[in-house]
Amino acid sequence: RGGKATLDRIRNEFGDRVGDIVEGCSDTLEHPKPPWRERKEAYLAHLEGAPPEVLRVSLADKLHNARAILSDYREVGEELWSRFRGTREESLWYYRSLSEIFARRYSGPLAEELETTVNEIEALAGD
């Protein structure tokens, strides 16, 4: 799943512009993947300098993921966190960090909704 072969196929089918966006939204192309925390810290640092088209797509993806987390959390509670590679605390840290970066670098309705969604997740988690 994923990796350089998939990115090459995307570039072939959709061109370099789309390939660049997909690559910019990926936290690694390495296989095996580096450790979770290392990948996420690198991705957050990458977002600090990412172009607007990468921020736009990444924000939409992270908002979708946060909405799914919130919905599933309401349904299954703490069991939700067993689905993630990162711990509960790490996952909460990651989404809070994403929210802060997007609020600063790509502010607008989607960034505001991500912040609201992350706030709701944190409230359910008691953080």
Side-chain angles (χ1 to χ4, degrees):
R1 223 181 94 154
K4 181 149 176 23
T6 299
L7 181 59
D8 290 345
R9 192 171 65 247
I10 289 168
R11 284 186 188 284
N12 254 358
E13 290 182 34
F14 302 102
D16 285 338
R17 182 166 184 254
V18 171
D20 289 347
I21 293 169
V22 170
E23 185 173 7
C25 291
S26 302
D27 68 4
T28 188
L29 295 176
E30 295 178 47
H31 185 75
K33 290 182 178 187
W36 185 89
R37 182 77 182 218
E38 179 184 319
R39 280 194 340 265
K40 300 311 179 190
E41 287 175 352
Y43 187 71
L44 293 169
H46 160 74
L47 288 177
E48 292 290 359
E53 59 272 16
V54 168
L55 293 173
R56 184 179 315 116
V57 173
S58 180
L59 173 54
D61 176 53
K62 301 312 180 199
L63 175 56
H64 171 78
N65 294 347
R67 287 173 179 158
I69 289 168
L70 180 58
S71 176
D72 289 353
Y73 202 3
R74 287 177 174 148
E75 188 174 319
V76 301
E78 291 298 313
E79 175 189 317
L80 165 80
W81 303 112
S82 66
R83 302 175 186 174
F84 294 88
R85 290 190 190 269
T87 66
R88 172 187 185 274
E89 290 72 25
E90 287 173 325
S91 297
L92 291 169
W93 158 80
Y94 181 57
Y95 277 90
R96 171 54 54 204
S97 299
L98 288 166
S99 175
E100 291 169 357
I101 290 170
F102 288 124
R104 190 173 60 257
R105 298 244 23 248
Y106 203 82
S107 62
L110 289 182
E112 290 168 13
E113 186 176 348
L114 179 61
E115 181 177 10
T116 299
T117 304
V118 170
N119 287 344
E120 290 181 49
I121 293 167
E122 289 174 336
L124 283 176
D127 287 8

Coordinates of all heavy atoms in Angstrom, one line a residue, residues 3-43:
G3 N 3.6 4.1 -0.9 CA 5.0 4.1 -1.2 C 5.3 4.7 -2.6 O 4.4 5.3 -3.2
K4 N 6.5 4.6 -3.0 CA 7.0 5.2 -4.2 C 6.3 4.7 -5.4 O 6.0 5.4 -6.4 CB 8.5 5.0 -4.3 CG 9.1 5.7 -5.5 CD 10.5 6.2 -5.4 CE 11.1 6.8 -6.6 NZ 10.2 7.3 -7.6
A5 N 6.0 3.4 -5.5 CA 5.4 2.8 -6.6 C 4.0 3.4 -6.9 O 3.6 3.7 -8.0 CB 5.3 1.3 -6.5
T6 N 3.3 3.6 -5.8 CA 1.9 4.2 -5.9 C 2.1 5.7 -6.3 O 1.3 6.2 -7.2 CB 1.2 4.1 -4.6 OG1 1.0 2.7 -4.3 CG2 -0.2 4.8 -4.7
L7 N 3.0 6.4 -5.8 CA 3.2 7.8 -6.1 C 3.6 7.9 -7.6 O 3.1 8.8 -8.3 CB 4.3 8.4 -5.3 CG 4.6 9.9 -5.5 CD1 3.4 10.7 -5.4 CD2 5.7 10.4 -4.6
D8 N 4.5 7.0 -8.1 CA 4.9 7.0 -9.5 C 3.6 6.8 -10.4 O 3.5 7.4 -11.4 CB 5.9 5.9 -9.8 CG 7.3 6.3 -9.2 OD1 7.5 7.4 -8.8 OD2 8.1 5.3 -9.1
R9 N 2.8 5.8 -10.0 CA 1.5 5.6 -10.8 C 0.6 6.8 -10.8 O 0.1 7.2 -11.8 CB 0.8 4.4 -10.2 CG -0.3 3.9 -11.1 CD -0.9 2.5 -10.7 NE -1.6 2.7 -9.4 CZ -1.2 2.1 -8.3 NH1 -0.2 1.3 -8.2 NH2 -1.9 2.2 -7.2
I10 N 0.5 7.5 -9.7 CA -0.3 8.7 -9.6 C 0.3 9.8 -10.5 O -0.4 10.4 -11.3 CB -0.4 9.2 -8.2 CG1 -1.3 8.3 -7.4 CG2 -0.9 10.7 -8.1 CD1 -1.2 8.5 -5.9
R11 N 1.6 9.9 -10.5 CA 2.3 10.9 -11.4 C 2.0 10.6 -12.9 O 1.8 11.5 -13.7 CB 3.8 11.0 -11.1 CG 4.1 11.7 -9.9 CD 5.7 11.8 -9.7 NE 6.0 12.4 -8.4 CZ 5.9 13.6 -8.1 NH1 5.4 14.5 -8.9 NH2 6.3 14.0 -6.9
N12 N 2.1 9.3 -13.2 CA 1.9 8.8 -14.6 C 0.4 9.1 -15.0 O 0.2 9.6 -16.1 CB 2.1 7.3 -14.7 CG 3.4 7.0 -15.4 OD1 4.1 7.9 -15.8 ND2 3.7 5.7 -15.4
E13 N -0.5 8.9 -14.1 CA -1.9 9.0 -14.5 C -2.4 10.4 -14.4 O -3.3 10.8 -15.2 CB -2.8 8.1 -13.6 CG -2.6 6.6 -13.9 CD -3.5 5.8 -13.1 OE1 -4.7 6.2 -12.8 OE2 -3.1 4.6 -12.7
F14 N -1.9 11.2 -13.5 CA -2.5 12.5 -13.2 C -1.5 13.7 -13.3 O -1.9 14.8 -13.2 CB -3.1 12.6 -11.8 CG -4.2 11.5 -11.6 CD1 -3.9 10.4 -10.9 CD2 -5.5 11.7 -12.1 CE1 -4.9 9.4 -10.7 CE2 -6.4 10.7 -12.0 CZ -6.2 9.6 -11.3
G15 N -0.3 13.4 -13.6 CA 0.7 14.5 -13.8 C 1.5 14.8 -12.5 O 1.2 14.4 -11.4
D16 N 2.5 15.6 -12.7 CA 3.4 16.0 -11.6 C 2.8 16.9 -10.6 O 3.1 16.8 -9.4 CB 4.7 16.7 -12.2 CG 5.6 15.7 -12.8 OD1 5.6 14.5 -12.5 OD2 6.5 16.1 -13.7
R17 N 1.9 17.8 -11.0 CA 1.2 18.7 -10.0 C 0.5 17.9 -9.0 O 0.6 18.1 -7.8 CB 0.3 19.7 -10.7 CG -0.3 20.6 -9.8 CD -1.0 21.8 -10.5 NE -1.5 22.8 -9.6 CZ -2.8 22.9 -9.3 NH1 -3.7 22.2 -9.9 NH2 -3.2 23.8 -8.4
V18 N -0.4 16.9 -9.4 CA -1.1 16.1 -8.5 C -0.1 15.2 -7.7 O -0.3 15.0 -6.5 CB -2.2 15.2 -9.2 CG1 -2.8 14.2 -8.3 CG2 -3.2 16.2 -9.9
G19 N 0.9 14.7 -8.4 CA 1.9 13.9 -7.7 C 2.6 14.6 -6.6 O 2.8 14.1 -5.5
D20 N 2.9 15.9 -6.9 CA 3.6 16.7 -5.9 C 2.6 16.9 -4.7 O 3.1 16.9 -3.5 CB 4.0 18.1 -6.4 CG 5.1 18.0 -7.4 OD1 5.8 16.9 -7.5 OD2 5.4 19.0 -8.2
I21 N 1.4 17.1 -4.9 CA 0.4 17.3 -3.8 C 0.3 16.1 -3.0 O 0.3 16.1 -1.7 CB -1.0 17.8 -4.3 CG1 -0.9 19.2 -4.9 CG2 -2.0 17.8 -3.2 CD1 -2.1 19.7 -5.7
V22 N 0.1 14.9 -3.7 CA 0.1 13.7 -2.9 C 1.3 13.4 -2.1 O 1.2 13.0 -0.9 CB -0.2 12.5 -3.9 CG1 -0.1 11.1 -3.2 CG2 -1.6 12.6 -4.5
E23 N 2.5 13.6 -2.7 CA 3.7 13.5 -2.0 C 3.8 14.4 -0.8 O 4.2 14.0 0.3 CB 4.9 13.7 -2.9 CG 6.2 13.4 -2.2 CD 7.4 13.5 -3.2 OE1 7.2 13.9 -4.4 OE2 8.5 13.1 -2.8
G24 N 3.3 15.6 -1.0 CA 3.3 16.6 0.1 C 2.4 16.3 1.2 O 2.5 16.8 2.4
C25 N 1.4 15.4 1.0 CA 0.4 15.0 2.0 C 0.8 13.7 2.6 O 0.1 13.2 3.5 CB -1.0 14.9 1.4 SG -1.7 16.5 0.9
S26 N 1.9 13.1 2.2 CA 2.3 11.8 2.7 C 3.3 12.0 3.9 O 4.2 12.9 3.7 CB 3.0 11.0 1.6 OG 2.1 10.8 0.6
D27 N 3.2 11.3 4.9 CA 4.2 11.4 6.0 C 5.4 10.6 5.8 O 6.4 10.8 6.5 CB 3.6 11.2 7.4 CG 3.2 9.7 7.7 OD1 3.4 8.8 6.8 OD2 2.6 9.5 8.7
T28 N 5.4 9.7 4.8 CA 6.7 9.0 4.5 C 6.4 8.1 3.2 O 5.3 7.7 3.0 CB 7.2 8.0 5.6 OG1 8.4 7.5 5.2 CG2 6.2 6.9 5.9
L29 N 7.4 7.9 2.5 CA 7.4 7.0 1.3 C 8.3 5.8 1.7 O 8.4 4.9 0.9 CB 7.9 7.7 0.0 CG 7.0 8.8 -0.5 CD1 7.7 9.4 -1.7 CD2 5.6 8.3 -0.8
E30 N 8.9 5.8 2.8 CA 9.8 4.7 3.2 C 9.1 3.5 3.6 O 7.9 3.5 4.1 CB 10.6 5.2 4.5 CG 11.6 6.3 4.2 CD 12.3 6.7 5.5 OE1 12.8 5.8 6.2 OE2 12.4 7.9 5.8
H31 N 9.7 2.3 3.3 CA 9.2 1.1 3.7 C 10.3 0.2 4.2 O 11.3 0.0 3.5 CB 8.5 0.4 2.6 CG 7.8 -0.9 3.0 ND1 6.6 -0.9 3.7 CD2 8.2 -2.2 2.8 CE1 6.3 -2.2 3.9 NE2 7.2 -3.0 3.4
P32 N 10.3 -0.2 5.5 CA 9.2 0.0 6.4 C 9.2 1.4 6.9 O 10.2 2.1 6.8 CB 9.5 -1.0 7.6 CG 11.0 -1.2 7.5 CD 11.4 -1.0 6.0
K33 N 8.0 1.8 7.4 CA 7.8 3.2 7.9 C 8.7 3.4 9.1 O 8.8 2.5 9.9 CB 6.4 3.4 8.2 CG 5.5 3.5 7.0 CD 4.0 3.8 7.5 CE 3.1 3.9 6.3 NZ 1.8 4.4 6.7
P34 N 9.2 4.7 9.2 CA 9.9 5.0 10.5 C 8.9 5.0 11.7 O 7.7 4.9 11.5 CB 10.4 6.4 10.2 CG 10.3 6.6 8.8 CD 9.2 5.7 8.3
P35 N 9.4 5.1 12.9 CA 8.5 5.1 14.1 C 7.5 6.2 14.0 O 7.7 7.2 13.4 CB 9.5 5.3 15.2 CG 10.8 4.8 14.7 CD 10.8 5.1 13.3
W36 N 6.3 5.9 14.6 CA 5.1 6.8 14.5 C 5.5 8.2 14.9 O 5.2 9.1 14.1 CB 4.0 6.2 15.4 CG 2.7 7.0 15.2 CD1 1.7 6.7 14.3 CD2 2.3 8.1 16.0 NE1 0.7 7.7 14.5 CE2 1.1 8.5 15.5 CE3 2.9 8.8 17.0 CZ2 0.4 9.6 16.0 CZ3 2.2 9.9 17.6 CH2 0.9 10.3 17.1
R37 N 6.0 8.4 16.1 CA 6.2 9.8 16.6 C 7.2 10.5 15.7 O 7.0 11.7 15.3 CB 6.8 9.7 18.0 CG 7.0 11.1 18.7 CD 5.7 11.7 19.1 NE 5.9 13.0 19.7 CZ 5.3 13.5 20.7 NH1 4.3 12.8 21.3 NH2 5.5 14.7 21.2
E38 N 8.2 9.9 15.2 CA 9.2 10.5 14.3 C 8.5 10.9 13.0 O 8.8 12.1 12.5 CB 10.3 9.4 14.0 CG 11.4 9.9 13.1 CD 12.4 8.8 12.8 OE1 12.7 8.0 13.8 OE2 12.8 8.6 11.6
R39 N 7.7 10.1 12.5 CA 7.0 10.4 11.2 C 6.1 11.6 11.4 O 6.0 12.5 10.6 CB 6.1 9.3 10.7 CG 6.8 8.2 10.0 CD 5.9 7.3 9.3 NE 4.6 7.2 9.6 CZ 4.0 6.3 10.5 NH1 4.8 5.4 11.0 NH2 2.8 6.2 10.7
K40 N 5.3 11.6 12.5 CA 4.4 12.7 12.8 C 5.1 14.0 13.0 O 4.7 15.1 12.6 CB 3.4 12.4 13.9 CG 2.6 11.1 13.6 CD 1.9 11.1 12.3 CE 1.2 9.9 12.0 NZ 0.7 9.7 10.6
E41 N 6.2 14.0 13.8 CA 6.9 15.2 14.1 C 7.5 15.8 12.8 O 7.4 17.0 12.5 CB 8.0 15.0 15.1 CG 7.5 14.8 16.5 CD 8.6 14.4 17.5 OE1 9.8 14.2 17.1 OE2 8.3 14.4 18.7
A42 N 8.0 14.9 11.9 CA 8.5 15.4 10.6 C 7.4 15.9 9.7 O 7.6 16.9 9.0 CB 9.2 14.2 9.9
Y43 N 6.2 15.3 9.8 CA 5.1 15.8 8.9 C 4.7 17.2 9.4 O 4.4 18.1 8.6 CB 4.0 14.8 9.0 CG 2.9 15.2 8.0 CD1 3.1 15.1 6.6 CD2 1.7 15.7 8.4 CE1 2.1 15.4 5.7 CE2 0.6 16.0 7.5 CZ 0.9 15.9 6.2 OH -0.1 16.3 5.3

